[in-house]
Amino acid sequence: MDRVQLLLLGLPILLFCSDVVTLFAPQPPATPKPDRHQHQPATGAVQPGDSSPDAEADAASAQVAELQVDGPGFGTTVELKFCASCSYRGNAMTMKSMLDTSFPGIHVVLENYPPPFPKRALSKVVPVIQVGAIGTLMAGDQIFPRFGMVPPPWYYSLRANRFGTMASIWLFGNFAQSLLQSSGAFEVYCNGQLVFSKLSEQRFPSEFELRELIGSRLSDSQFGKNLEKVWS
């Protein structure tokens, strides 16, 4: 085989090896999040031992003011899990910006929602089929006789336009691989609870709908619980 043939065979093999390494590589350790909940003591804090009614009211007001530093979204984590290969990142960024504006202090996490494992595993088989088909097309004269077979007529038809056939194999293989790697998901979780699922609803949530869904759950967040403790 000449250099062009070696290049056409070597490139898919290199990409396949890269996919295999990425599939079985361990996940990187999570980066520790900075503590955003540490605040400076409020000016005019009540001294220990002061139990007068005015002092207790001032202490409650100071605690409420401290809780409000991070906004009404403090203590709430929203996870937007979307299909990255479906070009849903733009929708996720729009929803994240809306939530950050509507609920200051909320923690929004963007994360890829992978397809099921059988589809992921099958998508890794596609490059193998591509390489095998291209290799058979380039060296079928030597491969078929080794198995005691005569090259079929379709082999000569495809080999007559080998570069067009290889381009078709490459394009259709990439399309199949992209289809298998897509999940079509846009799932929204609030504090670990699923609040919206595109897989179930077969549609995207509107900004107003998502704002209402998250806002209705702020009372269950750490902010709401701490606020109840202050006034109890």
Side-chain angles (χ1 to χ4, degrees), residues 27-204:
Q27 295 293 332
T31 305
K33 299 178 182 177
D35 189 1
R36 302 180 297 111
H37 305 149
Q38 293 181 355
H39 308 291
Q40 297 296 331
T43 305
V46 180
Q47 298 295 329
D50 192 351
S51 59
S52 63
D54 292 339
E56 293 180 357
D58 292 341
S61 300
Q63 293 183 38
V64 171
E66 182 179 353
L67 289 174
Q68 291 177 342
V69 171
D70 285 310
F74 167 63
T76 301
T77 300
V78 176
E79 298 175 88
L80 301 179
K81 299 185 178 182
F82 58 94
C83 174
S85 62
C86 302
S87 301
Y88 290 169
R89 178 171 291 276
N91 299 58
M93 292 298 296
T94 300
M95 294 300 181
K96 181 181 186 303
S97 177
M98 180 274 295
L99 292 175
D100 289 337
T101 304
S102 302
F103 309 107
I106 198 169
H107 182 49
V108 183
V109 179
L110 303 183
E111 184 178 345
N112 179 44
Y113 190 98
F117 178 77
K119 291 183 65 176
R120 295 202 310 269
L122 190 58
S123 69
K124 301 305 178 182
V125 178
V126 173
V128 179
I129 298 176
Q130 287 178 301
V131 173
I134 293 176
T136 302
L137 182 66
M138 301 300 299
D141 291 338
Q142 290 79 29
I143 295 177
F144 285 108
R146 289 181 179 273
F147 291 95
M149 300 171 58
V150 177
W154 57 262
Y155 166 74
Y156 294 103
S157 300
L158 295 177
R159 187 166 182 176
N161 185 19
R162 67 176 68 182
F163 291 105
T165 303
M166 286 189 294
S168 300
I169 293 173
W170 189 251
L171 291 175
F172 281 111
N174 289 349
F175 173 77
Q177 189 175 22
S178 176
L179 187 64
L180 291 171
Q181 290 177 344
S182 63
S183 61
F186 194 90
E187 315 299 290
V188 182
Y189 294 83
C190 181
N191 293 329
Q193 296 182 350
L194 181 66
V195 297
F196 184 87
S197 172
K198 179 180 178 295
L199 296 177
S200 300
E201 301 291 337
Q202 297 298 314
R203 62 178 178 85
F204 283 99

